[in-house]
Amino acid sequence: MNFPFWDGETPLLLDGAMGTILQERGMKPGTQPELLNLSDPALIASVHRDYLKAGSRVLYSNTFGANAHKLRKSGKSVRAVISAGIAIAKREASAYSAAVALDIGPLGELLEPMGTLSFEAAYELFREMAVAGAESGADLVVIETMTDLYEAKAALLAVKENTTLPVFVTMSFDETGRTFTGCTVASIARTLEGLGADAIGLNCSTGPDRMSPLLRELSENTRLPVIAKPNAGLPDPVTGQYDMEPDTFAATLADCLEYVSIVGGCCGTSPEYIRRLRETVSGKRVHANAVQLPSFVCTPVAPCKITGVRVIGERINPTGKKRFQQALLENDLDYILDVAVKQEDAGADILDVNVGFPGVDEVSMLPRVVKKLQSAVSLPLQLDSSNPDALEAGLRVYNGKAAVNSVNGNREVLERVLPVVKKYGAAVVGLTLDKNGIPQTAAERVAIAERILDAALSYGIPKEDVWIDCLTLTVSAQQEQAMETLNALRHVREVLGLQTVLGVSNISFGLPNRGLIARTFLTQAMQCGLTLPIINPNQQDMMDAVTAYRVLSGEDAQCRAYIARFADAAPVTQTAVSGNSATIQDAIVKGLQAEAARLAKAALQENAQQSRDNAELSETPASDNPELSETPASDNPELSETPASDNPELSIVERELIPALDRVGEAYEQGKAFLPQLLSAAQAAQAVFEVLRESLAERGGASVQKGTIIVATVQGDIHDIGKNIVKTVLENYGYHVVDLGRDVPPETVVEAVTARNVKLVGLSALMTTTLPAMEETVKQLKQLASPPVIMVGGAVVTPEYAAHMGADYYAKDAKASAEIAKKVLG
């Protein structure tokens, strides 16, 4: 895209920080910066003016948090705050021919399934901002500081569907190389480009030195211009001053121009940083990003590059499956989730999702199933439907880059489905059939494949997003068609250079020993260029064939995956994996809420039955039962080793629930699991807790709660994502959590602690401007006669600053908070 405010050949210079500069210029702690557009426009204008003098050619309006969610307490309207912010910036920019960007930041609340805010509600909040900005005269929109790809998608769609403005999107990554919610660089790059962003990049979190490797990785995963807007290094834990001087900042960021073309500054930067950056990049040229991208689908946490054979699981499909059909008709989404989890455990790379069945409204069912699956499964999805409206509904709520199954050679189908595929940046499967049916020859199928490819390219769908299915026909009826399929497949892969798809199991229909035919055909097809077999991954022999092929093709370097699969494998006794999660702990770890609750109920019922059996035995006189009277308890291990618990609810908490959360927490700390898995497990644990609470209420038992903890986001800070995550995890470890909310004055925290005699308090802050409020809260709590133990955390808090303010513990995340609670409360 050509921008009227940028030639695309020299670096485009953005502005620097707003919040930290306002703080330096007298903004009072706890003030919402966006409201200064109305109460002190001169202050905002002075910041814009200084950045323009320093060389900025794009100003970010002071509207970062000007959404209805954050403005609610102020009583000010979104339109009033945004129109004022845009007007201030445009007045200053006019003298410099600079552009003004509507600045949109995060909503401050987690979207489902990690939180409670729906995708649709988030879209509406962003839509209101986008419309107000466009009507106020913004030249472009910047969506920045995002850590959740789902939220970024909601914002991007809101802008694209309601304005004609260019859109830049930048995400914030931490030292792990992922965002706070676990998103990978590749996932955000391919998803945002597919959704129509005009430039993408990174901002905040760290300085240009630590951001540089991530920026290079980003450039390798997108054709779009790359944006870099880093902090001025890292903040000092005591003074809050950032540690990178303007000269170092500018020189380090200038070194990134090999793969970055749009630059500016975030937290800790000032007009002086932008001035030095302008001087350093003056006269330099930017490089066009002409990277060759591989075929790709993803979820935020699981990128899937199609650079070899990738298995598409076929089991989420009602065809010939009575139990699945029943689940659809009864809205039993937990059963569908269980089918998905089993395929993920069995090694599938992508899951095909088909919910088409008589009596089922696909348009409403497909997005519901997509949301359910993405609550616990990390694999990318292939949405399988002949209903274009259902496909659009599913793609809209999908988090990441999906595939669509399918289009065919019919012009009407291509014209209806391909625009939807393009809009949502999906990959698409093209079936080599048309209104005349399935051709009998390989050449005819190839011709249809070429027609599908040409149509996709005409809609702007890149070649790597076109996958071709040459169609498998059963050899029991059309034996010669097996070779026609293989010949067509080879041509599509080798000559057209496209990814290839086949539903392999069709080949053996109507024959005995179907597995042998299917497995042999699968191997033949992979040798001919099949890259995306659609199979049942729970059939071990089929997955074994894929594993072996990856070794022989060289894809499995040094046979690592093959050795890992077979070196210590138990003898194979069956070809299909079946059965539900074996334990409550397993169900919690996998995030299966309904299954975890079912197993908890079963465990309680088993304990109750055992108690009744034991009571009956205790009422039988020993003389009436000589076998028992003569057998010591130690000789009857079934009775002695598994006695009925007097408090079965507490037993489940201690033996199943807490160990499960510990397992997920350890995986989270090791970078093997991410925030979605952590919260999914917490939600499954919550389902178990509800069962335990009901059981306790019925029998009048003692509470399973271990103690009370107060949590709060400090005064002036309206972000509570981190605090809410901590609350969820602590509650599922058995603690009673009193949530005081966000923007909580120190006096309110002190009053709550005194009234409840609480022994542990957790304080959160996300903004550097609210750290003084956190320090004041700690100070007042420590002045109590019996002060509580205080743990602090949040994006801007460090261990050193925690110690400086007098807090007892620094909690880097929810898992650390749970460990601190164990130490303090047991």
Side-chain angles (χ1 to χ4, degrees):
M1 180 175 184
N2 296 319
F3 304 104
F5 48 85
W6 181 39
D7 61 15
E9 297 179 358
T10 56
L12 176 62
L13 202 59
L14 309 175
D15 61 11
M18 174 63 77
T20 50
I21 297 298
L22 292 176
Q23 192 175 17
E24 290 175 3
R25 297 186 182 187
M27 182 179 70
K28 295 179 181 180
T31 300
Q32 191 169 349
E34 295 79 12
L35 296 179
L36 295 173
N37 294 339
L38 302 173
S39 63
D40 196 351
L43 175 59
I44 303 303
S46 70
V47 178
H48 287 323
R49 191 179 312 120
D50 287 347
Y51 277 124
L52 290 165
K53 290 178 181 177
S56 296
R57 287 303 168 262
V58 175
L59 290 178
Y60 283 27
S61 62
N62 182 39
T63 55
F64 179 85
N67 61 73
H69 187 67
K70 291 183 177 179
L71 291 175
R72 188 177 299 120
K73 288 178 64 175
S74 72
K76 305 299 182 182
S77 73
V78 170
R79 181 173 295 277
V81 173
I82 286 180
S83 62
I86 297 293
I88 296 167
K90 287 188 74 69
R91 281 196 298 270
E92 299 301 324
S94 61
Y96 294 85
S97 299
V100 172
L102 169 68
D103 188 12
I104 296 179
L107 298 172
E109 187 171 337
L110 281 174
L111 271 66
E112 58 186 6
M114 292 185 289
T116 58
L117 185 67
S118 72
F119 179 84
E120 295 79 6
Y123 173 91
E124 284 302 317
L125 289 168
F126 288 127
R127 183 197 60 78
E128 185 179 15
M129 296 182 74
V131 170
E135 292 180 351
S136 299
D139 301 300
L140 70 155
V141 177
V142 171
I143 300 165
E144 65 155 319
T145 324
M146 291 288 174
T147 60
D148 181 0
L149 183 56
Y150 209 28
E151 184 174 15
K153 176 177 180 175
L156 182 52
L157 283 177
V159 176
K160 299 288 289 184
E161 292 179 348
N162 295 281
T163 81
T164 58
L165 299 177
V167 192
F168 293 178
V169 185
T170 55
M171 307 281 290
S172 293
F173 282 70
D174 59 32
E175 66 278 2
T176 67
R178 290 178 180 256
T179 71
F180 170 64
T181 60
C183 302
T184 70
V185 170
S187 292
I188 70 110
R190 299 298 296 272
T191 300
L192 295 175
E193 179 173 340
L195 288 168
D198 296 293
I200 60 175
L202 310 179
N203 79 290
C204 205
S205 296
T206 187
D209 49 348
R210 301 191 182 200
M211 187 180 283
S212 177
L214 296 176
L215 291 167
R216 181 182 291 276
E217 182 182 355
L218 181 63
S219 72
E220 293 168 350
N221 284 278
T222 184
R223 300 182 181 94
L224 298 176
V226 173
I227 306 165
K229 209 169 189 282
N231 291 345
L234 298 173
D236 182 274
V238 177
T239 66
Q241 297 298 311
Y242 286 80
D243 64 3
M244 187 172 283
E245 295 297 324
D247 286 352
T248 306
F249 176 88
T252 306
L253 191 49
D255 287 342
C256 298
L257 289 181
E258 177 186 347
Y259 37 89
V260 169
S261 51
I262 303 174
V263 292
C266 203
C267 299
T269 61
S270 66
E272 180 59 25
Y273 283 77
I274 302 304
R275 181 176 296 106
R276 291 296 299 123
L277 185 58
R278 182 200 68 197
E279 294 168 356
T280 305
V281 304
S282 178
K284 294 185 181 293
R285 313 288 288 183
V286 298
H287 299 270
N289 207 0
V291 63
Q292 183 64 42
L293 298 175
S295 296
F296 183 96
V297 287
C298 69
T299 60
V301 302
C304 180
K305 291 184 180 180
I306 319 300
T307 53
V309 176
R310 299 291 180 266
V311 171
I312 301 176
E314 68 179 7
R315 300 298 296 167
I316 305 177
N317 190 314
T319 305
K321 304 182 186 74
K322 290 185 178 180
R323 178 64 185 91
F324 196 100
Q325 295 165 5
Q326 178 187 358
L328 287 174
L329 294 171
E330 297 177 355
N331 290 307
D332 184 2
L333 302 190
D334 289 302
Y335 173 80
I336 299 173
L337 177 58
D338 191 52
V339 172
V341 169
K342 289 189 175 83
Q343 291 186 99
E344 181 174 36
D345 291 345
D349 300 293
I350 302 167
L351 299 180
D352 188 81
V353 181
N354 186 318
V355 297
F357 188 71
V360 174
D361 179 4
E362 270 194 273
V363 177
S364 63
M365 179 61 77
L366 187 56
R368 290 178 56 224
V369 170
V370 167
K371 288 184 177 184
K372 185 68 175 181
L373 294 178
Q374 292 205 295
S375 71
V377 175
S378 62
L379 297 183
L381 303 181
Q382 175 174 279
L383 308 189
D384 185 352
S385 176
S386 59
N387 184 329
D389 293 331
L391 288 173
E392 176 150 25
L395 287 171
R396 188 169 187 82
V397 301
Y398 180 81
N399 192 4
K401 181 181 177 71
V404 166
N405 188 11
S406 56
V407 295
N408 56 52
N410 287 335
R411 187 182 68 181
E412 295 80 6
V413 173
L414 294 169
E415 291 176 348
R416 180 65 180 87
V417 176
L418 290 182
V420 177
V421 171
K422 170 60 178 175
K423 176 179 179 178
Y424 294 100
V428 62
V429 178
L431 306 181
T432 53
L433 59 82
D434 56 19
K435 60 184 178 181
N436 297 316
I438 301 175
Q440 296 298 297
T441 68
E444 291 174 299
R445 295 186 204 180
V446 169
I448 294 176
E450 291 172 338
R451 192 190 315 160
I452 293 170
L453 174 60
D454 290 342
L457 294 175
S458 73
Y459 281 97
I461 298 169
K463 182 178 179 180
E464 67 269 11
D465 283 346
V466 181
W467 305 349
I468 296 297
D469 187 339
C470 292
L471 301 170
T472 307
L473 301 178
T474 175
V475 292
S476 64
Q478 296 173 284
Q479 191 168 355
E480 74 286 351
Q481 285 301 308
M483 292 309 299
E484 293 296 332
T485 295
L486 295 176
N487 289 334
L489 190 154
R490 180 182 286 109
H491 187 98
V492 168
R493 184 69 186 134
E494 295 180 357
V495 179
L496 299 185
L498 302 178
Q499 302 298 337
T500 55
V501 181
L502 275 182
V504 175
S505 61
N506 295 340
I507 195 74
S508 60
F509 185 78
L511 292 174
N513 197 358
R514 291 189 61 187
L516 176 60
I517 293 290
R519 187 167 65 254
T520 303
F521 181 70
L522 171 62
T523 302
Q524 283 185 295
M526 289 188 292
Q527 181 58 29
C528 290
L530 175 61
T531 56
L532 292 157
I534 302 178
I535 62 176
N536 178 1
N538 300 117
Q539 291 181 321
Q540 187 168 329
D541 52 357
M542 296 292 280
M543 293 300 291
D544 288 348
V546 173
T547 304
Y549 177 80
R550 286 169 173 164
V551 170
L552 299 175
S553 67
E555 179 186 344
D556 182 9
Q558 300 181 345
C559 310
R560 290 191 183 96
Y562 183 90
I563 293 170
R565 182 176 179 87
F566 294 110
D568 299 316
V572 177
T573 58
Q574 57 181 15
T575 58
V577 179
S578 61
N580 294 323
S581 301
T583 66
I584 298 171
Q585 192 174 144
D586 290 338
I588 292 173
V589 169
K590 294 177 181 178
L592 301 176
Q593 298 179 44
E595 179 72 357
R598 183 191 68 78
L599 290 168
K601 290 178 182 177
L604 291 171
Q605 289 169 359
E606 182 179 351
N607 186 86
Q609 183 61 51
Q610 191 172 356
S611 296
R612 289 192 291 270
D613 292 344
N614 290 347
E616 291 177 4
L617 288 174
S618 65
E619 293 172 3
T620 304
S623 58
D624 293 340
N625 195 335
E627 290 185 5
L628 284 179
S629 63
E630 296 174 3
T631 305
S634 59
D635 293 340
N636 191 336
E638 291 187 1
L639 291 178
S640 61
E641 293 179 9
T642 57
S645 172
D646 292 335
N647 192 335
E649 294 84 5
L650 183 58
S651 178
I652 289 173
V653 169
E654 293 178 342
R655 296 181 183 180
E656 300 281 356
L657 196 150
I658 290 178
L661 292 175
D662 284 343
R663 281 171 57 188
V664 178
E666 289 169 8
Y668 178 73
E669 288 183 334
Q670 295 166 4
K672 297 177 182 178
F674 305 98
L675 186 61
Q677 289 92 338
L678 183 69
L679 291 180
S680 178
Q683 289 161 359
Q686 186 65 38
V688 172
F689 248 121
E690 291 304 318
V691 171
L692 303 184
R693 289 191 182 104
E694 290 175 6
S695 175
L696 282 167
E698 289 174 1
R699 67 183 190 85
S703 171
V704 297
Q705 290 178 345
K706 300 178 176 181
T708 300
I709 304 170
I710 285 177
V711 297
T713 300
V714 299
Q715 186 172 27
D717 204 320
I718 55 177
H719 302 86
D720 61 359
I721 290 177
K723 182 259 298 174
N724 290 343
I725 293 169
V726 168
K727 175 189 175 184
T728 299
V729 172
L730 288 175
E731 286 179 335
N732 287 293
Y733 270 96
Y735 300 102
H736 173 54
V737 180
V738 177
D739 183 0
L740 300 182
R742 54 191 175 186
D743 190 16
V744 182
E747 296 77 14
T748 302
V749 180
V750 171
E751 290 171 5
V753 169
T754 304
R756 298 173 180 268
N757 192 28
V758 170
K759 303 301 181 186
L760 179 60
V761 174
L763 302 175
S764 174
L766 184 68
M767 303 163 61
T768 55
T769 54
T770 59
L771 287 176
M774 176 177 277
E775 189 167 350
E776 177 62 24
T777 305
V778 172
K779 177 183 176 181
Q780 291 193 25
L781 288 172
K782 288 296 183 181
Q783 291 174 347
L784 294 173
S786 299
V789 174
I790 304 169
M791 58 180 177
V792 296
V796 296
V797 183
T798 64
E800 294 82 4
Y801 193 75
H804 166 76
M805 71 176 74
D808 300 287
Y809 291 98
Y810 164 71
K812 67 176 182 177
D813 53 33
K815 179 64 168 60
S817 299
E819 294 300 322
I820 293 167
K822 290 179 187 178
K823 292 179 182 178
V824 177
L825 302 176

PDB file of all heavy atoms in Angstrom, residues 579-595:
ATOM      1  N   GLY A 579     -10.898 -44.151  25.207  1.00  0.00           N
ATOM      2  CA  GLY A 579     -11.054 -43.931  26.638  1.00  0.00           C
ATOM      3  C   GLY A 579     -10.947 -42.474  27.005  1.00  0.00           C
ATOM      4  O   GLY A 579     -10.355 -41.667  26.313  1.00  0.00           O
ATOM      5  N   ASN A 580     -11.552 -42.123  28.144  1.00  0.00           N
ATOM      6  CA  ASN A 580     -11.524 -40.756  28.616  1.00  0.00           C
ATOM      7  C   ASN A 580     -10.288 -40.513  29.465  1.00  0.00           C
ATOM      8  O   ASN A 580      -9.494 -41.407  29.714  1.00  0.00           O
ATOM      9  CB  ASN A 580     -12.795 -40.464  29.432  1.00  0.00           C
ATOM     10  CG  ASN A 580     -14.040 -40.519  28.572  1.00  0.00           C
ATOM     11  OD1 ASN A 580     -14.006 -40.113  27.418  1.00  0.00           O
ATOM     12  ND2 ASN A 580     -15.132 -41.035  29.123  1.00  0.00           N
ATOM     13  N   SER A 581     -10.114 -39.270  29.912  1.00  0.00           N
ATOM     14  CA  SER A 581      -8.996 -38.955  30.789  1.00  0.00           C
ATOM     15  C   SER A 581      -9.073 -39.841  32.028  1.00  0.00           C
ATOM     16  O   SER A 581     -10.122 -40.001  32.640  1.00  0.00           O
ATOM     17  CB  SER A 581      -9.056 -37.479  31.193  1.00  0.00           C
ATOM     18  OG  SER A 581      -9.003 -36.648  30.057  1.00  0.00           O
ATOM     19  N   ALA A 582      -7.945 -40.419  32.408  1.00  0.00           N
ATOM     20  CA  ALA A 582      -7.940 -41.424  33.461  1.00  0.00           C
ATOM     21  C   ALA A 582      -8.164 -40.825  34.840  1.00  0.00           C
ATOM     22  O   ALA A 582      -8.752 -41.464  35.708  1.00  0.00           O
ATOM     23  CB  ALA A 582      -6.620 -42.191  33.421  1.00  0.00           C
ATOM     24  N   THR A 583      -7.707 -39.630  35.099  1.00  0.00           N
ATOM     25  CA  THR A 583      -7.765 -39.058  36.435  1.00  0.00           C
ATOM     26  C   THR A 583      -8.268 -37.618  36.388  1.00  0.00           C
ATOM     27  O   THR A 583      -8.258 -36.969  35.344  1.00  0.00           O
ATOM     28  CB  THR A 583      -6.368 -39.057  37.099  1.00  0.00           C
ATOM     29  OG1 THR A 583      -5.517 -38.155  36.362  1.00  0.00           O
ATOM     30  CG2 THR A 583      -5.764 -40.457  37.088  1.00  0.00           C
ATOM     31  N   ILE A 584      -8.685 -37.162  37.550  1.00  0.00           N
ATOM     32  CA  ILE A 584      -9.073 -35.751  37.679  1.00  0.00           C
ATOM     33  C   ILE A 584      -7.890 -34.867  37.310  1.00  0.00           C
ATOM     34  O   ILE A 584      -8.034 -33.854  36.621  1.00  0.00           O
ATOM     35  CB  ILE A 584      -9.525 -35.455  39.119  1.00  0.00           C
ATOM     36  CG1 ILE A 584     -10.750 -36.302  39.481  1.00  0.00           C
ATOM     37  CG2 ILE A 584      -9.823 -33.970  39.298  1.00  0.00           C
ATOM     38  CD1 ILE A 584     -11.126 -36.230  40.946  1.00  0.00           C
ATOM     39  N   GLN A 585      -6.718 -35.271  37.751  1.00  0.00           N
ATOM     40  CA  GLN A 585      -5.508 -34.498  37.492  1.00  0.00           C
ATOM     41  C   GLN A 585      -5.262 -34.344  35.989  1.00  0.00           C
ATOM     42  O   GLN A 585      -4.966 -33.246  35.508  1.00  0.00           O
ATOM     43  CB  GLN A 585      -4.314 -35.182  38.172  1.00  0.00           C
ATOM     44  CG  GLN A 585      -3.069 -34.328  38.211  1.00  0.00           C
ATOM     45  CD  GLN A 585      -1.956 -34.965  39.007  1.00  0.00           C
ATOM     46  OE1 GLN A 585      -0.790 -34.830  38.652  1.00  0.00           O
ATOM     47  NE2 GLN A 585      -2.290 -35.666  40.075  1.00  0.00           N
ATOM     48  N   ASP A 586      -5.401 -35.430  35.243  1.00  0.00           N
ATOM     49  CA  ASP A 586      -5.194 -35.375  33.793  1.00  0.00           C
ATOM     50  C   ASP A 586      -6.209 -34.442  33.136  1.00  0.00           C
ATOM     51  O   ASP A 586      -5.868 -33.669  32.230  1.00  0.00           O
ATOM     52  CB  ASP A 586      -5.316 -36.768  33.178  1.00  0.00           C
ATOM     53  CG  ASP A 586      -4.151 -37.671  33.556  1.00  0.00           C
ATOM     54  OD1 ASP A 586      -3.091 -37.134  33.907  1.00  0.00           O
ATOM     55  OD2 ASP A 586      -4.317 -38.901  33.508  1.00  0.00           O
ATOM     56  N   ALA A 587      -7.462 -34.548  33.560  1.00  0.00           N
ATOM     57  CA  ALA A 587      -8.511 -33.712  32.970  1.00  0.00           C
ATOM     58  C   ALA A 587      -8.248 -32.235  33.237  1.00  0.00           C
ATOM     59  O   ALA A 587      -8.459 -31.381  32.362  1.00  0.00           O
ATOM     60  CB  ALA A 587      -9.873 -34.119  33.515  1.00  0.00           C
ATOM     61  N   ILE A 588      -7.772 -31.896  34.430  1.00  0.00           N
ATOM     62  CA  ILE A 588      -7.457 -30.499  34.754  1.00  0.00           C
ATOM     63  C   ILE A 588      -6.303 -30.012  33.897  1.00  0.00           C
ATOM     64  O   ILE A 588      -6.351 -28.915  33.324  1.00  0.00           O
ATOM     65  CB  ILE A 588      -7.135 -30.347  36.250  1.00  0.00           C
ATOM     66  CG1 ILE A 588      -8.392 -30.595  37.088  1.00  0.00           C
ATOM     67  CG2 ILE A 588      -6.561 -28.958  36.545  1.00  0.00           C
ATOM     68  CD1 ILE A 588      -8.136 -30.639  38.590  1.00  0.00           C
ATOM     69  N   VAL A 589      -5.262 -30.808  33.799  1.00  0.00           N
ATOM     70  CA  VAL A 589      -4.089 -30.425  33.011  1.00  0.00           C
ATOM     71  C   VAL A 589      -4.482 -30.138  31.563  1.00  0.00           C
ATOM     72  O   VAL A 589      -3.985 -29.196  30.940  1.00  0.00           O
ATOM     73  CB  VAL A 589      -3.004 -31.518  33.078  1.00  0.00           C
ATOM     74  CG1 VAL A 589      -1.909 -31.257  32.053  1.00  0.00           C
ATOM     75  CG2 VAL A 589      -2.407 -31.580  34.476  1.00  0.00           C
ATOM     76  N   LYS A 590      -5.402 -30.932  31.017  1.00  0.00           N
ATOM     77  CA  LYS A 590      -5.829 -30.752  29.629  1.00  0.00           C
ATOM     78  C   LYS A 590      -6.903 -29.680  29.476  1.00  0.00           C
ATOM     79  O   LYS A 590      -7.297 -29.355  28.350  1.00  0.00           O
ATOM     80  CB  LYS A 590      -6.340 -32.079  29.070  1.00  0.00           C
ATOM     81  CG  LYS A 590      -5.255 -33.140  28.944  1.00  0.00           C
ATOM     82  CD  LYS A 590      -5.828 -34.459  28.462  1.00  0.00           C
ATOM     83  CE  LYS A 590      -4.736 -35.525  28.362  1.00  0.00           C
ATOM     84  NZ  LYS A 590      -5.296 -36.837  27.927  1.00  0.00           N
ATOM     85  N   GLY A 591      -7.394 -29.136  30.569  1.00  0.00           N
ATOM     86  CA  GLY A 591      -8.403 -28.084  30.499  1.00  0.00           C
ATOM     87  C   GLY A 591      -9.788 -28.577  30.164  1.00  0.00           C
ATOM     88  O   GLY A 591     -10.617 -27.829  29.655  1.00  0.00           O
ATOM     89  N   LEU A 592     -10.089 -29.849  30.488  1.00  0.00           N
ATOM     90  CA  LEU A 592     -11.393 -30.434  30.180  1.00  0.00           C
ATOM     91  C   LEU A 592     -12.326 -30.232  31.366  1.00  0.00           C
ATOM     92  O   LEU A 592     -12.372 -31.042  32.294  1.00  0.00           O
ATOM     93  CB  LEU A 592     -11.231 -31.922  29.852  1.00  0.00           C
ATOM     94  CG  LEU A 592     -10.310 -32.242  28.678  1.00  0.00           C
ATOM     95  CD1 LEU A 592     -10.142 -33.743  28.516  1.00  0.00           C
ATOM     96  CD2 LEU A 592     -10.848 -31.631  27.397  1.00  0.00           C
ATOM     97  N   GLN A 593     -13.084 -29.162  31.339  1.00  0.00           N
ATOM     98  CA  GLN A 593     -13.898 -28.785  32.488  1.00  0.00           C
ATOM     99  C   GLN A 593     -14.966 -29.825  32.806  1.00  0.00           C
ATOM    100  O   GLN A 593     -15.103 -30.251  33.954  1.00  0.00           O
ATOM    101  CB  GLN A 593     -14.555 -27.429  32.230  1.00  0.00           C
ATOM    102  CG  GLN A 593     -13.564 -26.286  32.047  1.00  0.00           C
ATOM    103  CD  GLN A 593     -14.250 -24.964  31.780  1.00  0.00           C
ATOM    104  OE1 GLN A 593     -15.236 -24.610  32.425  1.00  0.00           O
ATOM    105  NE2 GLN A 593     -13.742 -24.216  30.814  1.00  0.00           N
ATOM    106  N   ALA A 594     -15.743 -30.232  31.800  1.00  0.00           N
ATOM    107  CA  ALA A 594     -16.823 -31.187  32.044  1.00  0.00           C
ATOM    108  C   ALA A 594     -16.274 -32.535  32.500  1.00  0.00           C
ATOM    109  O   ALA A 594     -16.835 -33.171  33.407  1.00  0.00           O
ATOM    110  CB  ALA A 594     -17.667 -31.356  30.775  1.00  0.00           C
ATOM    111  N   GLU A 595     -15.198 -32.977  31.886  1.00  0.00           N
ATOM    112  CA  GLU A 595     -14.606 -34.265  32.254  1.00  0.00           C
ATOM    113  C   GLU A 595     -14.050 -34.220  33.675  1.00  0.00           C
ATOM    114  O   GLU A 595     -14.204 -35.163  34.458  1.00  0.00           O
ATOM    115  CB  GLU A 595     -13.496 -34.626  31.263  1.00  0.00           C
ATOM    116  CG  GLU A 595     -12.773 -35.926  31.549  1.00  0.00           C
ATOM    117  CD  GLU A 595     -13.621 -37.160  31.271  1.00  0.00           C
ATOM    118  OE1 GLU A 595     -14.806 -37.022  30.913  1.00  0.00           O
ATOM    119  OE2 GLU A 595     -13.099 -38.271  31.437  1.00  0.00           O
TER     120      GLU A 595
END
